């Protein structure tokens, strides 16, 4: 964030991680929606859900710094 760019960041890695974690959460929830099954898997649901949230934040930053900020003429550094 301090540098204001996303140079060296691979968005595909975060997209694949996001999709993988979402399918993992979905696979746990699709097997059963009974609380006894969900409570047994709650640590893994929280872990994967947290990763989904963090990966989404990183992808939003990538879009902001790579696309939106490059369209704003005021954000160009002076040389």
């Amino acid at each position: 964030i301090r540098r204001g760019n996303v140079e060296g960041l691979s968005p595909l890695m975060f997209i694949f991680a996001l999709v993988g974690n979402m399918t993992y959460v979905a696979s746990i929830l699709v097997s059963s929606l009974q609380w006894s099954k969900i409570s047994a898997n709650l640590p893994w649901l929280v872990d994967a859900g947290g990763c989904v949230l963090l990966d989404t934040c990183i992808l939003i930053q990538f879009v902001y710094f790579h696309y939106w900020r490059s369209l704003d003429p005021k954000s160009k550094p002076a040389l």
Side-chain angles (χ1 to χ4, degrees):
I1 291 175
R2 288 183 185 170
R3 291 186 302 160
N5 66 21
V6 290
E7 182 180 342
L9 182 70
S10 173
L12 282 178
M13 180 184 76
F14 290 99
I15 289 171
F16 289 137
L18 181 70
V19 169
N21 284 314
M22 287 188 329
T23 56
Y24 183 65
V25 168
S27 71
I28 292 173
L29 295 177
V30 166
S31 66
S32 176
L33 289 177
Q34 295 176 348
W35 177 246
S36 61
K37 299 278 186 176
I38 292 176
S39 65
N41 292 312
L42 198 56
W44 292 277
L45 285 171
V46 170
D47 178 47
C51 288
V52 165
L53 180 67
L54 293 174
D55 290 339
T56 302
C57 290
I58 290 173
L59 287 172
I60 289 170
Q61 287 178 3
F62 178 81
V63 169
Y64 173 74
F65 285 123
H66 193 265
Y67 294 111
W68 293 334
R69 194 156 180 194
S70 65
L71 296 176
D72 185 15
K74 294 182 281 187
S75 67
K76 300 286 183 191
L79 294 176

